[in-house]
Amino acid sequence: MSLNNSSNIFLDSVPSNTNRFQVNVINENHESSAMANDNTDPPHYEETSFGDEAQKRLRISFRPGNQECYDNFLQSGETAKTDASFHAYDSHTNTYYLQTFGHNTMDAVPKIEYYRNTGSISGPKVNRPSLLEIHEQLAKNVAITPSSADRVANGDGIPGDEQAENKEDDQAGVVKFGWVKGVLVRCMLNIWGVMLFIRLSWIVGEAGIGLGVLIILLSTMVTSITGLSTSAIATNGFVRGGGAYYLISRSLGPEFGGSIGLIFAFANAVAVAMYVVGFAETVVDLLKESDSMMVDPSNDIRIIGSITVVILLGISVAGMEWEAKAQVILLVILLIAIVNFFIGTVIPSNNEKKSRGFFNYQASIFAENFGPRFTKGEGFFSVFAIFFPAATGILAGANISGDLEDPQDAIPRGTMLAIFITTIAYLGVAICVGACVVRDATGNMNDTIISGMNCNGSAACGLGYDFSRCRHEPCQYGLMNNFQVMSMVSGFGPLITAGIFSATLSSALASLVSAPKVFQALCKDNIYKALQFFAKGYGKNNEPLRGYILTFLIAMAFILIAELNTIAPIISNFFLASYALINFSCFHASYAKSPGWRPAYGIYNMWVSLFGAVLCCAVMFVINWWAAVITYVIEFFLYVYVTYKKPDVNWGSSTQALSYVSALDNALELTTVEDHVKNFRPQCIVLTGGPMTRPALLDITHAFTKNSGLCICCEVFVGPRKLCVKEMNSGMAKKQAWLIKNKIKAFYAAVAADCFRDGVRSLLQASGLGRMKPNTLVIGYKKNWRKAPLTEIENYVGIIHDAFDFEIGVVIVRISQGFDISQVLQVQEELERLEQERLALEATIKDNECEEESGGIRGLFKKAGKLNITKTTPKKDGNINTIQSMHVGEFNQKLVEASTQFKKKQEKGTIDVWWLFDDGGLTLLIPYILTLRKKWKDCKLRIYVGGKINRIEEEKIAMASLLSKFRIKFADIHIIGDINIKPNKESWKVFEEMIEPYRLHESCKDLTTAEKLKRETPWKITDAELEAVKEKSYRQVRLNELLQERSRAANLIVLSLPVARKGSISDLLYMAWLEILTKNLPPVLLVRGNHKNVLTFYS
């Protein structure tokens, strides 16, 4: 098919396949359109063309017999794909272009493949065309083959497609569950526990029907709120395996998720033992009745429990499909048992059952049992604590989220419906048993009312039985005394026993599956590196067999210990802690107001979720206060551990969202407060380039900004805009990551500019946010200024002028070896590359040798053997700071050592502060902050100030008084009275020789020649300029003599930076001043504040 730009021509040269539709170009003229389509059906689809001619439209038309095919296409919802032979062809360049809406453009239509994560099991990830590819000019010399162009245009062609297709084939045999079998069945089985059959009647007896219903509803309120929160989180994006751990970790981050995930998995593992022991106890009771004990009750429980766990393990390991079938069978048995109970309540009671307190539905019994009658030691909260574990288990479906077909739909629907059904069942059983059975009964059929006897007014008395002696002596029957009331009431007692078996075994099986699944998800995230062994899965369902074995061993251990009454409250609190965090996760995500929080399940409220979290925490203390304390201690310990380890994960948690909101609010709040001198702190722009290329400059700046001020590492990319922007964008994340990896609390910023000075000027004006704007510029000293091009010197000095123009302080740092170690890094990168190539070649030869041993091609190995590669064991120490294997000539070892000098702890010594000019106090504040750091704490401050020779003592006292008011500790104060005397001849000669190549010497030439030289070389130092600032030049040379004399042994020198007046001091003369001032000295900081106070002695 081809398209012609003329308005009335449509060339149909290629026969159409049945899965294709053609694009006709038609006019707006309705008559011609009608004539063109005279013999075809009316079109079903029309859309505006994005072509060059706005008055033309594209209309879908069908060839005879193809409309039905297209209708099927629309119903199936598949993405339209053009045939491989359909391409717009550029006849001038022979280049194929990509097709969108049938036009030549790389812009792609929205598709789900663009939004998948890499390695998604739901399908391959496709990369959309980048903004650069769409924005830049299309490369005419790059041809795209028809097949590849068509596949990419339709979002199908990506590298590794074949592997993705193979992966999909591998997923073909994976067992996935719907919302009924996967969530509803599991949650119902886990919620309907043994409590339903054994303890619910006792709870009604203690609390009465009224408070009993309230206890059930209160428990349901906790689980319902948690269910709503779970549903909201589960529908806010794709849910993978891991259940509660996955939901919490992706919402609150790895710290909360990692801590709760571990104890939640452990709680499920121990819960297996609890449920199995409950099953074993019931079996042992049956053995007692038939007098068939094996050893003794305790050991029989251990034996039966161990056998049961082995059988359950076998069902689990056999696969999720077998486990699901077993769950369905157990649910059927459980439902039959419950129905059996309700049927039993309407079957007329016989004398034996009446003597045991069962009289069918009686209004008098209902009225008598409606109020509470707590026995000694019991109360509302104690009874609630006993019942509440029966309402848990709502996460049974979510825990196997990785095995669900559609977790986003299955978890909310299955969980909430399970809570509703089980609550109705609990309420029904509680009300029915309270309306049928009295609280106390003797079980003696002879305890009937004889005519003439006085009735004690109880419901049983009114129904012909006298159970009054139960007030004085213990009885064995009735709601308060008999745990087997449901068996007695039911139509067929053994079915209740079967229900107990079903409830215990189903709960045990669900926990046995949940624990490994949650634990595997936790291990896969590598939060606890020591547990990585358990992350491996087996088979198409990725079954955690290692986790099954671990869960089995934990369950066996607790079955053999048989002290479950002690551990049970802790396990219940572990589950409640999970519920609390799920509710808090929902609240936190809502409160953070992140645009990414868009749950499809809208029936939730952030404040209700918060109330649910508080309620869960309160219930924890109600159940058992010491167990709650233990739970919080364990969770806090794990939280601190994970926070300390800082796992390398980024899940877009609500914690991150709230941190952003908090930072934004604080930044906005700062703008409403005027700056105050007491809160001043150095906020620095550091011209490091790439932060790894000048580490020493960054280290010394970080030393006085860490935890107290802003530090921004800045880089200016100079050159062609297109190349600079590309290089800048590609390195931003890497360089910020380097700062984080090296624990440097700083930001990285970069700009692209036509010249270096323009870039720095942009940074000085635009960097920062609100009150968090830089107030100090930190640059390294330009050591090579005498060899550098003139433009570089102009830019360097111009940057200092610009900073002063913007009222920003300047710090120039000089060390003897310089800062730039980029050449060393390049050598190291090259060595690493060569080492990787060598290892890869060795691996190839080793593989070839293995193939040769198994009959491979031998000629290839003979050639490989001639390579004579020496195999060496690579060193485990990957520190690239020093490379001892290289010759000294290949890189400057001293430079590498100098680049790390500020990382080390400084030896005991001094920081000499030459506070010659009052700049507002920055020259004094920076060294004071340094002395507060651990690395500099052994260095004392020595203060040097200028003064008059005849007033040295007075000025020393005055300075000491000022420093005391500033509360700055110092070791000594020196008043320098001879600063303004001339330097010695040798020092001055060095300075003259330094500036000689840059002098104009116009006084030695005639006026015309001098003027011509000034025009041709305006950058040179004139004699007039040198004479005008001769005193200042003397001062710089003299200061160097004093520094050599007094501070040569200092760890660091902090010195007032001389200011060059614009238009008066040439750039080269200023550089000569800085050179002679700091020559042959320890590390020097030349500091000049913006002449606004940064120190105050007022409170």
Side-chain angles (χ1 to χ4, degrees), residues 478-603:
L479 296 177
M480 305 281 282
N481 312 301
N482 184 14
F483 291 152
Q484 302 297 328
V485 167
M486 286 191 68
S487 297
M488 176 191 68
V489 173
S490 64
F492 184 61
L495 280 178
I496 298 299
T497 303
I500 295 173
F501 288 169
S502 174
T504 52
L505 292 178
S506 63
S507 298
L509 192 57
S511 298
L512 185 57
V513 171
S514 297
K517 294 283 185 181
V518 173
F519 193 58
Q520 183 188 35
L522 176 67
C523 297
K524 277 185 176 180
D525 289 335
N526 203 20
I527 292 178
Y528 302 100
K529 296 186 183 298
L531 303 177
Q532 183 66 21
F533 173 79
F534 295 98
K536 183 175 176 58
Y538 296 87
K540 292 186 177 181
N541 261 54
N542 197 31
E543 293 291 344
L545 297 185
R546 296 174 179 177
Y548 280 129
I549 299 300
L550 180 63
T551 304
F552 168 76
L553 295 176
I554 293 173
M556 284 292 292
F558 279 96
I559 289 171
L560 296 177
I561 293 172
E563 290 294 335
L564 294 181
N565 289 335
T566 303
I567 201 71
I570 300 178
I571 301 306
S572 297
N573 276 329
F574 281 179
F575 286 123
L576 274 168
S578 304
Y579 295 171
L581 279 181
I582 288 176
N583 284 309
F584 185 73
S585 298
C586 184
F587 163 76
H588 201 266
S590 303
Y591 185 74
K593 298 176 183 177
S594 171
W597 173 249
R598 303 184 301 275
Y601 190 84
I603 310 174

Side-chain angles (χ1 to χ4, degrees), residues 626-887:
W626 58 262
V629 171
I630 291 174
T631 303
Y632 284 127
V633 169
I634 294 174
E635 188 174 339
F636 177 75
F637 171 78
L638 294 174
Y639 178 89
V640 171
Y641 174 81
V642 177
T643 303
Y644 174 76
K645 289 296 183 181
K646 292 183 179 178
D648 186 19
V649 294
N650 182 12
W651 295 323
S653 65
S654 60
T655 305
Q656 296 172 348
L658 196 62
S659 296
Y660 174 84
V661 172
S662 177
L664 185 61
D665 290 342
N666 290 336
L668 289 171
E669 189 177 351
L670 275 176
T671 60
T672 63
V673 181
E674 291 293 329
D675 289 331
H676 194 281
V677 62
K678 287 195 295 184
N679 293 324
F680 176 87
R681 57 196 68 218
Q683 302 191 125
C684 300
I685 277 185
V686 196
L687 298 185
T688 58
M692 63 284 290
T693 59
R694 293 176 177 81
L697 181 61
L698 179 56
D699 289 338
I700 187 63
T701 308
H702 189 241
F704 60 81
T705 60
K706 181 181 179 182
N707 297 329
S708 63
L710 179 69
C711 181
I712 306 176
C713 302
C714 294
E715 185 171 9
V716 179
F717 290 86
V718 179
R721 178 180 174 81
K722 181 178 179 180
L723 295 177
C724 287
V725 170
K726 184 177 180 180
E727 183 182 0
M728 179 179 70
N729 291 340
S730 63
M732 294 279 278
K734 177 183 176 182
K735 290 168 184 176
Q736 184 64 55
W738 185 89
L739 292 171
I740 296 171
K741 181 181 178 181
N742 288 272
K743 299 180 180 180
I744 296 175
K745 297 184 177 180
F747 300 95
Y748 172 76
V751 293
D754 295 330
C755 73
F756 184 71
R757 183 178 179 181
D758 287 344
V760 176
R761 190 184 289 124
S762 299
L763 289 167
L764 290 173
Q765 295 178 88
S767 295
L769 183 68
R771 296 291 180 194
M772 294 184 293
K773 291 185 71 69
N775 53 33
T776 307
L777 171 67
V778 181
I779 57 177
Y781 176 71
K782 191 169 184 61
K783 187 180 178 183
N784 65 338
W785 65 275
R786 281 181 278 190
K787 298 179 181 178
L790 181 63
T791 54
E792 290 188 9
I793 300 173
E794 290 177 348
N795 283 334
Y796 185 83
V797 178
I799 287 167
I800 300 173
H801 288 310
D802 293 337
F804 290 148
D805 287 342
F806 298 137
E807 294 188 341
I808 292 176
V810 176
V811 177
I812 300 176
V813 187
R814 180 175 186 178
I815 59 176
S816 58
Q817 298 297 326
F819 293 105
D820 192 355
I821 62 168
S822 55
Q823 292 183 349
V824 177
L825 295 177
Q826 290 176 2
V827 172
Q828 292 170 350
E829 289 177 0
E830 182 65 18
L831 286 177
E832 289 178 351
R833 185 184 66 80
L834 293 174
E835 178 68 10
Q836 290 175 357
E837 290 180 356
R838 184 186 66 80
L839 294 174
L841 187 56
E842 286 184 0
T844 303
I845 292 175
K846 187 178 292 185
D847 293 340
N848 291 338
E849 290 174 351
C850 294
E851 290 181 11
E852 184 181 25
E853 292 176 0
S854 53
I857 302 173
R858 298 184 180 182
L860 178 63
F861 308 116
K862 292 180 181 178
K863 294 180 182 179
K866 294 178 182 179
L867 293 176
N868 192 21
I869 294 176
T870 304
K871 298 181 180 180
T872 59
T873 304
K875 295 181 179 180
K876 294 182 179 179
D877 185 8
N879 190 351
I880 63 171
N881 288 332
T882 58
I883 309 175
Q884 298 180 356
S885 61
M886 296 183 61
H887 296 293

